[in-house]
């Protein structure tokens, strides 16, 4: 759908007249400049896809490392009563956050390139930011382009707040990565549970946190943004001896967080939808309808 709308729009540009009185193309060079603005918006989508690929590849590599590390847990001595917890986390994995920051910057930049192109179909309006069009919507103004902005307003506000906080104010707490090994019971019937920690980020604009030597040195049993879940079942014999039947520990995103790749794909999907709607609105506003 994205490519289809772009092709329709480029065809409309090619067939559009050039005139001093034309609201968009006053000279031939204007067409080249205008198409460049639209291609910049598309290139930003490519950049966003690049950052998602980097994150997904890193997630796969980190998970493989965790699984390899869990293959040889420390053995317990025979008949030792154990209830142990072994967690290894890497609180220096800033690469995830840097990729996320670059991803959001690309998406926001693409939105502004689209707004720059779209504004030229509105008489008397010239801007390089979608914020100008958002303000027009707030004042009750409408039209094909402004109606698209209005339809995507909630997402645009969320994107701007999250991106601005990360780029201008701070990077959110670095996600914890690693694994956990938990062993409960008496040898040889002890039960061992292994879990890889998912990498999560806040769903909404992150709150500012500390990044000090003390905060970086803290070893939390449950990293921020995760919830620890445990299943532990035992059976007690008549003589009082206890057998562990089941033991399972896992980590899931808390209600305030979501997996980083899922978060990025969510915003990319919204950007694609916004782009498709905006391409259609530009085409119908400035060049007439081509079907």
């Amino acid at each position: 759908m994205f490519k289809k709308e772009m092709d329709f729009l480029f065809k409309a540009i090619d067939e559009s007249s050039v005139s001093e009185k034309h609201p968009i193309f006053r000279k031939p060079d204007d067409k080249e400049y205008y198409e460049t603005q639209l291609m910049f918006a598309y290139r930003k989508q490519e950049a966003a896809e690049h950052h998602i690929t980097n994150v997904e590849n890193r997630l796969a590599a980190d998970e493989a490392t965790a699984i390899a590390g869990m293959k040889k847990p420390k053995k317990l001595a025979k008949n030792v009563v154990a209830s142990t917890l072994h967690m290894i986390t890497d609180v220096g994995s800033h690469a995830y956050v840097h990729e996320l920051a670059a991803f959001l910057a690309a998406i926001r930049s693409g939105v502004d390139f689209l707004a720059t192109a779209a504004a030229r179909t509105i008489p008397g309006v010239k801007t390089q930011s979608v914020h100008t069009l958002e303000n027009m919507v707030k004042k009750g103004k409408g039209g094909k382009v402004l109606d698209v902005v209005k339809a995507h307003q909630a997402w645009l506000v969320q994107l701007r707040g999250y991106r601005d906080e990360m780029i201008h104010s701070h990077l959110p707490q670095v996600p914890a990565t690693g694994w956990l090994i938990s062993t409960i019971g008496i040898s040889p019937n002890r039960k061992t549970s292994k879990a890889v920690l998912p990498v999560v980020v806040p769903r909404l604009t992150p709150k500012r946190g500390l990044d000090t030597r003390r905060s970086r040195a803290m070893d939390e049993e449950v990293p921020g943004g995760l919830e620890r879940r445990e299943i532990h079942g035992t059976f007690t014999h008549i003589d009082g001896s206890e057998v562990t039947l089941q033991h399972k520990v896992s980590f899931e995103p808390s209600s305030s967080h979501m997996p980083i790749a899922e978060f990025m794909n969510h915003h990319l999907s919204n950007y694609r939808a916004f782009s498709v709607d905006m391409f259609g609105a530009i085409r119908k506003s400035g060049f007439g309808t081509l079907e």
Side-chain angles (χ1 to χ4, degrees):
M1 188 64 180
F2 190 105
K3 186 178 186 303
K4 180 180 178 181
E5 284 294 344
M6 280 193 70
D7 290 342
F8 273 141
L9 184 50
F10 287 159
K11 183 178 180 182
I13 291 173
D14 292 340
E15 297 181 0
S16 182
S17 63
V18 176
S19 169
E20 287 294 330
K21 296 182 180 181
H22 196 284
I24 297 178
F25 305 125
R26 298 180 182 276
K27 53 185 179 180
D29 288 347
D30 280 351
K31 288 190 176 184
E32 294 290 328
Y33 177 77
Y34 198 79
E35 183 173 332
T36 296
Q37 296 297 308
L38 298 172
M39 284 306 302
F40 281 167
Y42 178 71
R43 298 303 180 202
K44 292 302 179 179
Q45 175 185 298
E46 291 183 320
E49 292 170 345
H50 168 77
H51 294 302
I52 290 178
T53 298
N54 287 347
V55 165
E56 290 177 339
N57 288 341
R58 186 176 184 87
L59 286 170
D62 283 351
E63 182 175 0
T65 299
I67 292 174
M70 292 190 298
K71 286 182 178 180
K72 296 180 179 181
K74 185 177 180 180
K75 293 183 179 180
L76 298 176
K78 188 176 181 179
N79 296 326
V80 170
V81 178
S83 179
T84 62
L85 182 68
H86 181 57
M87 178 182 292
I88 298 178
T89 59
D90 176 10
V91 295
S93 296
H94 293 83
Y96 284 112
V97 176
H98 295 324
E99 290 287 353
L100 179 59
F103 167 85
L104 291 172
I107 293 292
R108 177 58 198 272
S109 180
V111 167
D112 285 338
F113 279 125
L114 281 174
T116 299
R120 295 182 67 177
T121 68
I122 306 175
V125 177
K126 185 176 182 181
T127 185
Q128 292 184 327
S129 171
V130 72
H131 196 52
T132 299
L133 304 185
E134 289 179 279
N135 286 336
M136 294 176 67
V137 169
K138 288 180 181 179
K139 294 178 181 179
K141 297 183 179 180
K144 291 182 174 62
V145 165
L146 294 180
D147 288 347
V148 171
V149 173
K150 183 177 181 179
H152 294 268
Q153 184 66 51
W155 171 69
L156 291 170
V157 170
Q158 183 182 7
L159 173 69
R160 180 173 62 251
Y162 208 115
R163 178 264 179 190
D164 289 353
E165 184 68 20
M166 288 192 69
I167 301 301
H168 299 304
S169 300
H170 87 301
L171 295 177
Q173 183 178 5
V174 179
T177 62
W179 65 93
L180 173 145
I181 299 175
S182 180
T183 304
I184 290 181
I186 300 175
S187 179
N189 296 317
R190 64 181 180 269
K191 299 294 182 180
T192 299
S193 175
K194 304 174 182 179
V196 177
L197 278 65
V199 178
V200 298
V201 294
R203 290 179 178 273
L204 303 177
T205 302
K207 297 180 180 179
R208 301 185 186 183
L210 299 175
D211 187 4
T212 64
R213 285 168 295 174
R214 187 173 70 86
S215 66
R216 290 192 297 272
M218 292 179 65
D219 184 14
E220 299 180 357
E221 181 176 335
V222 181
L226 297 179
E227 291 183 354
R228 186 180 189 271
R229 298 180 180 179
E230 180 173 354
I231 299 174
H232 179 206
T234 62
F235 176 79
T236 303
H237 290 285
I238 194 169
D239 62 2
S241 60
E242 185 178 88
V243 177
T244 300
L245 301 176
Q246 186 180 18
H247 175 52
K248 176 68 175 178
V249 176
S250 63
F251 291 88
E252 301 292 337
S254 64
S255 60
S256 62
H257 286 65
M258 64 192 301
I260 187 170
E262 182 181 330
F263 176 89
M264 295 171 78
N265 278 294
H266 165 74
H267 281 282
L268 180 59
S269 177
N270 276 280
Y271 178 67
R272 286 171 173 159
F274 176 77
S275 299
V276 168
D277 290 349
M278 191 60 83
F279 285 151
I282 293 171
R283 174 168 57 89
K284 294 174 183 178
S285 295
F287 314 112
T289 303
L290 291 175
E291 301 295 350

